[in-house]
Amino acid sequence: PLSTPGTPPETTFTDKYAMAFDIDGVLIRGGRPIPEAVEAMQVLNGKNAYGVKVPYIFVTNGGGKTEQERCIQLSKQMEIEVSPGQFICGHTPMREMAEKYKTVLVVGGEGEKCRQVAEGYGFKDVITPGDIIKDNPDTTPFRKLTKEENDNSRVRNYAEVKIEAIFVFADSRDWAGDQQIILDLLMSKGGYLGSRSETFDEGPPVFFSHNDVIWSASHDLTRLGMGALRLSLEAMYKAVTGKQLNTTAFGKPQTGTFQFATRLLQQWRKDTHGIDAPPETVYFVGDTPESDIRGTNEFNEQSENQWYSILVRTGVYQEGTKPKFAPKVTVDNVLDAVNHAIEREQ
Ligand code: G3P
Ligand code: MG
């Protein structure tokens, strides 16, 4: 282990291993910290029997705010400082699409938040469902914009605007209206609203920031997530057009997300401790077998270093069932997960 400059000599920073954390169901549930999470962060930061400090990053499928905003929120909740340099959310990798697509429909999240996120990523022309409803309120017969939505929405002649791609950045707040608009576009002639294709094969591509069918929120039972919207949209498209809809999802369990996480971790360790080599092992702590455990295990197969999956019982996965994707180890909560990793490395 390397000594950390400016910290007492008894605390050492390990360059051998690192940890990555899922957020919902591991650290947070329904906006509140999971009880053991705050202590788990302290243990990572040296409050353990060995005085070891472990580098870590956060990889959530959630989103709907800028990475900066989410880090400020997480810092308060976990009582530590979280930097955007150690944070990936579902839509973070979408920033790489801003060069390819200029005019895009961005769906999901509160108010104007996701438009701001997309513009921050460099998308040049960002349209929201609200813009389309304001321009033509008949688009969604049972959905009226609030005054605030109306004030924020941007009117122009959408029949003349070619929408090149659809991005679902965060959970839809209006499934019916959002799906109507997405379907209209998918069935359009080349992304022009108001037109109808005869062949249904010229609509824009659809990208989802993740594919979690369920997730762990404040309710005792799991809640429907963005993956459920995706399934619903695919089923409706099939029912209406008779064709198969192919959509793309980012986030976990996609390998690309874990590659992104690897690069982020490497940069983070370099910037904070001058280490320019990958850790031997990355412990990933998650609550959802289908995204966290599956993604970690599959990435482990192709990665040069070891990715070790730890499943907790505080979120989607519940005791008494067999997880669809088997973790290396299952523990009660994130504190046990951190202790398990540190003990295993001694
Ligand atoms: O909508 C967010 C949810 O599906 C999962 O978030 O932090 O568990 O990856 P997380
Ligand atoms: Mg989770």
Side-chain angles (χ1 to χ4, degrees), residues 204-230:
V206 196
F207 300 96
F208 289 84
S209 67
H210 67 82
N211 190 34
D212 289 346
V213 177
I214 50 170
W215 66 298
S216 177
S218 29
H219 198 282
D220 285 348
L221 303 173
T222 55
R223 299 292 89 190
L224 292 175
M226 194 187 292
L229 181 81
R230 184 187 187 196

Side-chain angles (χ1 to χ4, degrees), residues 186-189 196-202 237 241 243:
L186 291 173
M187 292 163 71
S188 71
K189 278 197 169 109
R196 271 282 190 264
S197 168
E198 277 146 37
T199 48
F200 302 128
D201 57 1
E202 49 184 323
Y237 185 82
T241 66
K243 290 206 163 175

